[in-house]
Structure formats: C-alpha cells, structure tokens
Amino acid sequence: MITFIPLYAFTRKVPVYESFVEGAKDGFGTAIAIIPHLVGMLVAISVFRASGALDFFMGFISPALRGLGVPAEVLPLGLLRPLTGTGSLAYTTDLIRVHGPDSLIGMIASTIQGSTDTTLYVLTVYFGAVGVRNGRYALKVGLFSDVVGFVAAIAVCLLLFG
C-alpha cells in the first residue's frame, strides 16, 4: 500500500507531495478544532471518577453480577470503556497484572476491551470537530452496541473459559 498509492498517483499525474502537504494542513486544523471537546470530555471523566459516582454504581450493581457468576471486577471496565480508551486500557492492564492473563477476569477484560468502543469519546471529539449538533441516535446506537459487546464478551468467556 505504501508503494502502490504514490505510484498510482504518479501515473495519474497527481502531485503526490503537494497533495500530502495540503492534507496535513487540513489535519492540523482538525486537531486544533477538537482540543476543546477533548478537554471537556476528559474533565467530565475525571469528575465522574473523583466524585465517587463510579464506586457508588459498582456497589449498587456488584451483588447482581455475582449472582449471575460474573466477576464484579470487570464492571468498571464496562463503565469506563465507552468513556475513555486510555482509562479502560489502564484498568484492563491492572486487572491482568493482579489476576493474570489466563484468569477468567483477565480473559473477560481483554475480550471487553476488544468488543466495545469509546462511544462518548468518538461522539464528543469527532462530532464536535465537524459540527454535528444532533447526535442523539448515534449516542443511543453506540451505547446499545457497547452494552451488547459487554454482555456478549462476558457470555462468551463464561461459556468458553468459565
């Protein structure tokens, strides 16, 4: 691909370097445009975690999960993953460090990490960068797909490894 695209552009008489520079200029403007949205989202995540809301929610739902045979340790990952990729990856790394990569918790955490997306990050940063004002359907579908990915990851891991 690295060789094919410039060669193809060259055969079509496309100014490859100039096109690259023009695209880089547009990319820099986009990066500047998303910074306020990114800062706002990171502040909201920090407030959510520092306020104790995450711990409160975990305490509320943990007994129900234990009754279903689901390790309560993976619940924060299901809450963090739609908010922040870096935070959820750090939490997954910590779970794997504590419980081991071959443990049920490690396998569930790894599967959740690969089965869900950072929905709120995507909506905040990318929709904000292009000026989308009404993303309510995207939010509903994105969060629904995160829940489905979370539940499916747990179900598959319990079925295969539990």
Side-chain angles (χ1 to χ4, degrees), residues 1-2 14 32 43 74-75 87 93 102-103 106 120 124 154-155 160:
M1 290 299 286
I2 293 172
V14 173
I32 296 296
V43 168
V74 299
L75 178 61
T93 303
D102 294 331
S103 68
L120 296 178
T124 301
I154 291 171
L160 295 177

Side-chain angles (χ1 to χ4, degrees), residues 70-95:
V70 177
E73 292 86 353
V74 299
L75 178 61
L77 185 57
L79 298 174
L80 286 174
R81 185 67 178 145
L83 298 172
T84 170
T86 305
S88 65
L89 182 59
Y91 189 77
T92 299
T93 303
D94 190 50
L95 285 176

Side-chain angles (χ1 to χ4, degrees), residues 3-26:
T3 306
F4 173 74
I5 292 172
L7 286 176
Y8 182 75
F10 180 76
T11 61
R12 297 284 190 179
K13 305 220 188 285
V14 173
V16 177
Y17 183 74
E18 291 80 8
S19 298
F20 172 78
V21 169
E22 188 64 33
K25 285 180 187 176
D26 292 343

Side-chain angles (χ1 to χ4, degrees), residues 21-39:
V21 169
E22 188 64 33
K25 285 180 187 176
D26 292 343
F28 186 72
T30 301
I32 296 296
I34 68 172
I35 286 175
H37 303 283
L38 185 59
V39 169

Side-chain angles (χ1 to χ4, degrees), residues 106-126:
M107 289 183 200
I108 290 174
S110 298
T111 307
I112 290 170
Q113 190 71 15
S115 302
T116 57
D117 200 2
T118 54
T119 301
L120 296 178
Y121 174 84
V122 168
L123 293 179
T124 301
V125 173
Y126 298 119

